Amino acid sequence: MTKIPYKIFLSEDELPKTWHNVRAVMKEKPDPFINPATLKPCTADDLRPVFCDELIEQELNTTDEFIEIPEGIRDFYKMYRPSPVVRAYNLERMLDTPAKIYYKFEGQNTSGSHKLNSAAAQVYYAKKQGLTHLTTETGAGQWGTALAMACAFYGIELTVYMVKVSAEQKPHRRAVIQTYGGKVIASPSETTEVGKKILAENPGCGGSLGCAISEAMEVALKTDNCRYVLGSVLNHVLVHQTIIGQEAKAALDKYGVTPDIIIGCAGGGSNLGGLISPFMADKIRGKNNIEFIAVEPASCPSLTRGKYAFDFGDTGKTTPLMRMYTLGSGFMPSPNHAGGLRYHGMSPIISKLYHDGYLTATSVEQTKVFDAATIFAKCEGTLPAPESSHAIRVAIDEALKCKETGEAKNILFGLTGTGYFDMTAYTAYHDGKMTDYITNEKEKQKGFDSLPKVDL
Amino acid sequence: MTKIPYKIFLSEDELPKTWHNVRAVMKEKPDPFINPATLKPCTADDLRPVFCDELIEQELNTTDEFIEIPEGIRDFYKMYRPSPVVRAYNLERMLDTPAKIYYKFEGQNTSGSHKLNSAAAQVYYAKKQGLTHLTTETGAGQWGTALAMACAFYGIELTVYMVKVSAEQKPHRRAVIQTYGGKVIASPSETTEVGKKILAENPGCGGSLGCAISEAMEVALKTDNCRYVLGSVLNHVLVHQTIIGQEAKAALDKYGVTPDIIIGCAGGGSNLGGLISPFMADKIRGKNNIEFIAVEPASCPSLTRGKYAFDFGDTGKTTPLMRMYTLGSGFMPSPNHAGGLRYHGMSPIISKLYHDGYLTATSVEQTKVFDAATIFAKCEGTLPAPESSHAIRVAIDEALKCKETGEAKNILFGLTGTGYFDMTAYTAYHDGKMTDYITNEKEKQKGFDSLPKVDL
């Protein structure tokens, strides 16, 4: 067999021309979104005041397996894609494992993550629709950065509600967004009704993704030519991220490699969904028996310890109801948790696949995540994002199991990004000041108490 | 003609197997280093207490045009190389220029720059020689990070003297070095005799590269199994960086493109030298007529306003004397200057080529550099390092000249790195708080007064 290079690159011509929509292949579809006012399934018209038209179409599309990527988006992708699949030869050697470890690396762009894949698409469609302004939320800041880059490129104004603790901990991430022309507001803020309400109840509130989403949505609704865009959870975002999985599959196919295990970190679920989508379609069709593993933080464990229920996507309870694994929109992750993956719910597609037994999930504690991150950085060169390091942790654990059993499994994981703006967390880890946190039953119950009491 | 892709990648097999040594082709060689004690040319034995043996050989080698890259270094390179040559289609469109702009992008590794190319080589040879410890200096922090990455990989202890103002302004860069296991000491420090002396004279001294070099060299000399390594200026460093130029040439050759202009930022000169080396050899042989442009900051203009003279490489006046363009080892760049390129001298190879008329040089002010950086970031996605943005500035200016003349010149520049750890400077620029600074005659004279009075 040809020796597999360290980095498998596809050529520009091999950049996928369509996104993949796994819903078309799923035997049972995820439940439709529910309008909380009518308790009826959401129509495109229900969503139109908030979202761009073409994104709504993608959101509701459960029938087309392939959705064309417009030339104007492919041109943007070509600036930083196709991204490589990397063979982690040095990590394998250090672990002394017979496993073969591959990672799809999405961090080689200034947003530092896969988020740019959906940002480019969403801004392109907004521009095409004649919009002039977008609002969004950002937590760790990767999504806000990605969106600012896309808005600078296509020429659209952007307001970013950034979770207050992140804005304070990461002034440099905020500065990147500003360099690309984005306006950053720390959330909760006095600029919205929902923000004022949250601050009135809890003046010291450090914010959450759910709360920033409420503020961004409110502004989108009351501003002309403006819509709200979201960086994860929603179906169309997951669809955009399938560029990752399709490239990974094409790259591995070149060398006849089929993964035995695919691992992804899971916050809102779009990266994981994007990575596994084409492989999952084949599994549903009975063409492979890949083990898919979602990895989430022990301090925000929506899949492993949440409920499969209809819930709001935001703290302000203004979104449609989505059936998903959720800790309740009132759940607040422990402030000691570093990095992203702080969302209370999980992509409805991932939730349904998990519910139907197509993928497994596990949760990990953050010091063990940073142990893995440091090992990886030293072996493979790249300093990983804390989020991505959840997947590294489990990839290492699986490779060590192979060492015990002697199995030469092919392990693929998603390295979603780099940790260059997360050095405060790395320093806390390095200085022995990072602590672990497992959500306790009381907090979990408080989150569950916030679930809507609906009978559908 | 085939359409040129956005990113021209070479395959792993196309990674150069040798470095290029332009001295072998130069009609007149750079002057040899002089031992300040004897005023005779330095021998390998003079250099052995400070530098690794194999690096000394490369340092003094003026005859072999090609120097083999050992397999153990090539394996390291394969983690992040070959790096792409990118066609700046979006920048061209925005400038509305007939020029074709290409850049060789060295920022896609965690050190954030080309520095890793020489770090890998130097640490590999140190390990091979049985050394256990290395010392170095770092200014903006790219070199320190690169060396920490290489030391973690090959298994060598590292102490980094980091220019005090940088260590304070860039705690995150320091944290990256620490994550890879490097020990960071702010310079000037109380850990060395030369540091104590500098602090006694000026307790508030914010440090300089020259001063950090003196401290790192002192420790290397008094520690067992320890040597000093330097990230620029020296001949062997420039030789290692020729991986950049060779890859760039091979990538452009694939599409039949010959640059008309090659532009690089110049601090110590190794990046510029590495980029132009193989092209320069052809120019010396009369095979091309490329215009080479070195770009330096107006606040540290060694080529454009320095003297071609024998000078020390460090403030403590402990290195051999090198004939180079220099502002004098006593020169201190203005503290308002952001980013690297703060060194008082210039690579002896680059200095000789400049002296003999093979390349031109220009200096630029920093707000104009950040104007260019921001334009580039918005068009091309990547947020550039302030250092690299000096080259972007001149590339944009040359492309705008082409717009006036209608010439479709091929412009190649070195994008040496990313600016993710330079957001303090970007914020100052964004907030209108960045000022320009042109070295004045009095400061320049003060630097010149520090030049050694030697008659050779």
Side-chain angles (χ1 to χ4, degrees), chain A residues 5-7 9 12 78-79 81 90 108 110 149 153 175-176 179-180 377-379 381-383 420 423 427, chain B residues 5-7 9 12 78-79 81 90 108 110 149 175-176 179-180 377-379 381-383 420 423 427:
Chain A
Y6 280 74
K7 301 181 298 302
F9 272 105
E12 191 172 296
K78 286 173 187 171
M79 285 198 291
R81 308 199 68 82
N90 297 314
Q108 289 188 324
T110 290
M149 290 169 70
F153 186 83
V176 177
T179 296
Y180 283 90
K378 289 182 177 177
C379 290
T382 300
L383 184 94
Y420 308 148
M423 294 319 298
T427 299
Chain B
Y6 279 75
K7 301 181 299 303
F9 273 106
E12 191 172 295
K78 286 174 187 171
M79 286 198 289
R81 308 201 66 82
N90 297 313
Q108 289 189 323
T110 290
M149 290 169 69
V176 177
T179 296
Y180 283 90
K378 289 182 176 177
C379 291
T382 300
L383 185 94
Y420 308 149
M423 294 318 298
T427 300

Side-chain angles (χ1 to χ4, degrees), chain B residues 22 238 241-242 245 265 269-278 347 349-350:
Chain B
V22 74
L238 190 149
Q241 296 299 353
T242 61
C265 62
S270 70
N271 134 67
L272 173 71
L275 175 64
I276 68 177
S277 201
S347 145
I349 296 175
I350 292 292

Side-chain angles (χ1 to χ4, degrees), chain A residues 280-298:
Chain A
M280 180 61 82
D282 280 355
K283 178 165 180 165
I284 293 170
R285 291 184 170 114
K287 289 190 188 168
N288 71 41
N289 195 24
I290 297 172
E291 184 183 355
F292 299 99
I293 309 177
V295 190
E296 52 186 18

Side-chain angles (χ1 to χ4, degrees), chain A residues 6 90 93-94 377-381, chain B residues 19 69-80 116-134 146-158 180:
Chain A
Y6 280 74
N90 297 314
R93 188 160 49 227
M94 202 283 290
K378 289 182 177 177
C379 290
E380 292 290 319
Chain B
W19 289 300
I69 307 176
E71 204 54 39
I73 297 172
R74 282 169 50 84
D75 277 345
F76 189 98
Y77 281 172
K78 286 174 187 171
M79 286 198 289
Y80 69 101
L116 199 52
N117 302 329
S118 186
Q122 296 195 45
V123 177
Y124 170 86
Y125 289 124
K127 184 78 182 178
K128 199 179 147 204
Q129 194 178 324
L131 302 177
T132 56
H133 196 155
L134 292 172
L147 205 59
M149 290 169 69
C151 283
F153 186 84
Y154 290 109
I156 288 228
E157 274 180 65
L158 174 68
Y180 283 90

